[in-house]
Amino acid sequence: MSAPTPLAGIKVVEFTHMVMGPTVGHILAGLGAEVVRVEPIGGDQTRRLLGSGAGYFPMYNRGKQSICLDLKSTDGLAVAKDLCAQADVLVENFRPGALDRLGLDYSSLAKSNPRLIYCSEKGFLPGPYEQRTALDEVAQMMGGLAYMTGPPGRPLRAGASVIDVTGGMFGVIGILAALEERHRTGRGQKVVASLFETTAYLVGQHMAQFAVTGKPAAPMPARVSAWAIYDVFETKDDPVFIGVVTDALWQKFCALFGLDDLWADESIRANNQRVLARERILPRIRDLVGQMTRAEVIAKLDGTGMPFAPIGKPEELFDDPHLNAGGMEPVRLDTGAETKLPTIPLEMDGKRPGAPSALPKPGADARAVLESLGYPAERIATLIETGAVEESQ
């Protein structure tokens, strides 16, 4: 079954690094857009990150073409402007003003390409902070997410680049909305998404909780849950999460685990009653689950409609049977090694996005991209010989 390509024919030029900007291009490419990634001579430094950054490039740059340009040279900059003149969408996430100084700002490019949709992924939307430098972690700390994630007094960033990725997703939403508006008006526009405001949106539920109750939300590890059983429980071997979030599920839970006396107690039939009786109920449940293995707990719960989850690790997902039934796509890394990585988590018309892909070597598509711009062979050769464009070896 072929992958869906709803954005086939949409041309995207990408000036990005790290995670937030590349996420936008990756999603657009996964939906069928033609994405040309403009990298500096020698390739994007993101390719060479170590530690926790080692996965950034392979995860968020699949399905793209690569061209390496010297934007400080007249000829290299001219190529970039020609790419923008033919593009439907531009994506960038460099510091404020970086592309403006090169004449690659929206106002300049829209003069020759009024249909261009220009997506800037920034730290902040316009306001007092807009010139500050932001990173995913900066936004998590400023916006209250780190406070809500760690134990009281110990702010802790979330265990993935959630703000970079979600900010990129909001950028895609803006681009798709702008494409729809362009169908009516014939004109593009500038779209800006940001890290800080994305964080505020995610913690908005806690802001609303304060507005409703007048009490600040406690960090997640210390929160008062809305349900009596909604926690990680230790088994004989590995822990498992279990959630009982409705009165019907409470009845089912009691039946599954032989808790007839608890179900018979009508004083805790309703959810809020169970929350108030948490200190009486939880020790009983912890003791019961602690006498079982994780596999035994899962065997009881699987297929019942009860919310549960083994505590997984990222490296274990490579062998997850559900993901491997359609949620992974083969990828050839820069090293030549073969792996598989999660595809875009969508289904469209019964089909999943994603297809086998190879990460582009820096400048691997230089000639193809230049030819698509209509450049004659002599000009292409000159651009490569002078170093304005770098061709992959």
Side-chain angles (χ1 to χ4, degrees), residues 306-330:
M306 294 289 305
F308 76 95
I311 311 305
K313 300 174 183 176
E315 64 270 19
E316 295 172 347
L317 295 181
F318 284 108
D319 298 316
D320 185 271
H322 186 84
L323 277 180
N324 281 294
M328 303 276 266
E329 61 187 29

Side-chain angles (χ1 to χ4, degrees), residues 378-391:
E378 297 80 7
R379 185 178 180 190
I380 294 174
T382 300
L383 287 168
I384 293 172
E385 288 169 6
T386 61
V389 179
E390 183 177 48
E391 186 174 28

Side-chain angles (χ1 to χ4, degrees), residues 1 9 13 25-26 51 92 120 127 158 161 182 206 211 236 252 257 291 295 309 331 343 385 393:
M1 184 182 294
V13 59
H26 173 242
E92 66 92 13
S120 286
S161 301
R182 194 178 73 175
H206 305 305
K236 283 184 176 180
K252 181 177 290 187
F257 286 91
Q291 298 176 40
V331 181
T343 188
E385 288 169 6
Q393 299 302 314

